[in-house]
């Protein structure tokens, strides 16, 4: 045990030394962080913009999950894996990556609209930062309104105790986002229920067949598992799931 610890310690020292030597031979940029009083209002404004940008980057994962199609897609893909009873196949990294790229695909028209009407005009100095944020938010609100059920929207309007909105523009974004998420959860569970039905039928048929044959000690899931995979392959399951998910947003 002591010899192995010594070997690990020596290897760690060699690796650290080699990294230091390698870093000395390659010029690296120096980064300095200074704190002090601002001399002009422009410096204060720049500091606030940096803080705002860092806050947006920190909240980016939550924003992607809450105001895009990611929630529905990742839940449906998880239902597919549970219906197939494949445990961790595909792994979580693959499902999340697939859900993320499908989200970019579904949200592509909205992203292009935000880029053309908000981001690029802001970079060119044609509109202010607040106008760019309002334009971006309008595109996201339009998408969320299309996917939100009126009952869920009415629920959160009542819970917020805000006045009854006359038009959709009067609905606060803080009310729209949770209503949208709840609607997405319901839609995802409805799609997951439909996905489970054929695989449940296979489990019932296999279980009843084994019982009729007197094979009570053989777990039905062992026999039904290859039939589930075969059915999923024969109907081109990933193609159908992906197509249904994309069309569910139109």
């Amino acid at each position: 045990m002591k010899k192995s610890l010594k070997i690990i310690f020596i290897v760690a020292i060699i690796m650290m030394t080699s990294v230091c030597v390698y870093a000395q031979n390659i010029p690296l940029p120096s980064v300095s962080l200074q704190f002090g009083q601002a001399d002009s209002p422009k410096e204060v404004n720049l500091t606030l913009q940096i803080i705002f940008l860092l806050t947006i980057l920190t909240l980016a994962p939550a924003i992607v999950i809450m105001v895009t199609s990611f929630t529905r897609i990742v839940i449906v893909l998880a239902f597919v894996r549970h219906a197939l009873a494949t445990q961790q196949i595909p792994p979580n990294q693959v499902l999340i990556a697939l859900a993320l790229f499908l989200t970019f695909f579904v949200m592509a028209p909205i992203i292009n609209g935000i880029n053309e009407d908000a981001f690029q005009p802001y970079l060119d100095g044609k509109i202010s930062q607040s106008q760019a944020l309002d334009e971006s938010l309008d595109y996201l609100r339009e998408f969320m309104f299309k996917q939100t059920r009126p009952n869920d929207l009415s629920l959160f309007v009542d819970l917020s105790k805000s006045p009854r909105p006359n038009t959709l523009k009067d609905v606060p974004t803080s009310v729209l986002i949770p209503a949208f998420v709840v609607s997405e959860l319901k839609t995802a569970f409805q799609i997951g229920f439909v996905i489970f039905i054929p695989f449940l039928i296979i489990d019932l048929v296999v279980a009843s067949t084994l019982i009729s044959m007197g094979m009570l000690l053989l777990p039905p899931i062992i026999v039904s598992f290859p039939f589930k995979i075969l059915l999923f392959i024969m109907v081109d399951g990933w193609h159908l799931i992906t197509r249904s998910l994309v069309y569910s947003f139109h």
Side-chain angles (χ1 to χ4, degrees):
M1 184 67 180
K2 292 182 179 179
K3 290 183 179 180
S4 60
L5 290 176
K6 288 181 180 179
I7 293 173
I8 295 174
F9 184 69
I10 293 172
V11 172
I13 292 177
I14 294 174
M15 293 178 63
M16 293 174 62
T17 305
S18 61
V19 170
C20 293
V21 173
Y22 184 74
Q24 289 178 357
N25 295 329
I26 297 179
L28 297 175
S30 60
V31 179
S32 61
L33 183 63
Q34 298 179 356
F35 296 92
Q37 293 183 350
D39 297 329
S40 63
K42 292 184 179 180
E43 294 183 2
V44 177
N45 187 23
L46 179 61
T47 303
L48 293 177
Q49 290 180 358
I50 293 174
I51 294 174
F52 178 76
L53 179 60
L54 293 176
T55 304
I56 293 297
L57 292 177
T58 304
L59 298 176
I63 295 174
V64 170
I65 292 174
M66 293 300 172
V67 301
T68 63
S69 58
F70 181 82
T71 302
R72 182 190 304 184
I73 294 174
V74 74
I75 290 177
V76 170
L77 293 179
F79 268 117
V80 173
R81 186 173 65 180
H82 285 293
L84 290 171
T86 54
Q87 301 300 325
Q88 294 299 321
I89 301 175
N92 292 329
Q93 293 85 348
V94 175
L95 287 184
I96 294 175
L98 178 59
L100 189 61
F101 280 104
L102 286 178
T103 300
F104 286 135
F105 182 80
V106 172
M107 302 294 294
I110 299 170
I111 295 174
N112 292 334
I114 292 175
N115 180 56
E116 294 177 0
D117 297 339
F119 188 67
Q120 292 299 331
Y122 172 70
L123 293 181
D124 296 337
K126 297 180 181 179
I127 59 176
S128 62
Q129 184 178 9
S130 60
Q131 291 175 334
L133 291 176
D134 291 337
E135 288 289 340
S136 303
L137 191 59
D138 288 340
Y139 276 98
L140 292 176
R141 283 171 59 91
E142 182 180 358
F143 169 77
M144 287 189 286
F145 274 124
K146 291 181 180 179
Q147 308 302 326
T148 304
R149 291 180 172 82
N151 292 337
D152 295 328
L153 189 60
S154 177
L155 170 65
F156 283 94
V157 169
D158 295 337
L159 292 177
S160 64
K161 297 180 180 180
S162 57
R164 205 72 180 178
N166 296 323
T167 61
L168 294 179
K169 292 184 179 180
D170 298 332
V171 178
T173 305
S174 59
V175 173
L176 176 60
I177 292 178
F180 167 75
V181 174
V182 171
S183 297
E184 287 293 283
L185 289 174
K186 182 177 181 180
T187 304
F189 273 72
Q190 288 176 343
I191 298 175
F193 173 76
V194 176
I195 292 172
F196 257 95
I197 292 177
F199 300 106
L200 179 61
I201 294 175
I202 292 177
D203 287 332
L204 293 175
V205 171
V206 170
S208 60
T209 303
L210 292 177
I211 292 174
S212 63
M213 295 175 61
M215 304 174 66
L216 302 178
L217 299 180
L218 181 63
I221 191 173
I222 296 178
V223 181
S224 64
F225 178 72
F227 288 101
K228 291 180 180 179
I229 299 298
L230 179 62
L231 174 64
F232 197 71
I233 294 174
M234 290 179 62
V235 300
D236 199 0
W238 291 114
H239 174 84
L240 291 178
I241 295 297
T242 304
R243 181 180 179 182
S244 300
L245 278 173
V246 173
Y247 276 113
S248 67
F249 291 97
H250 297 291

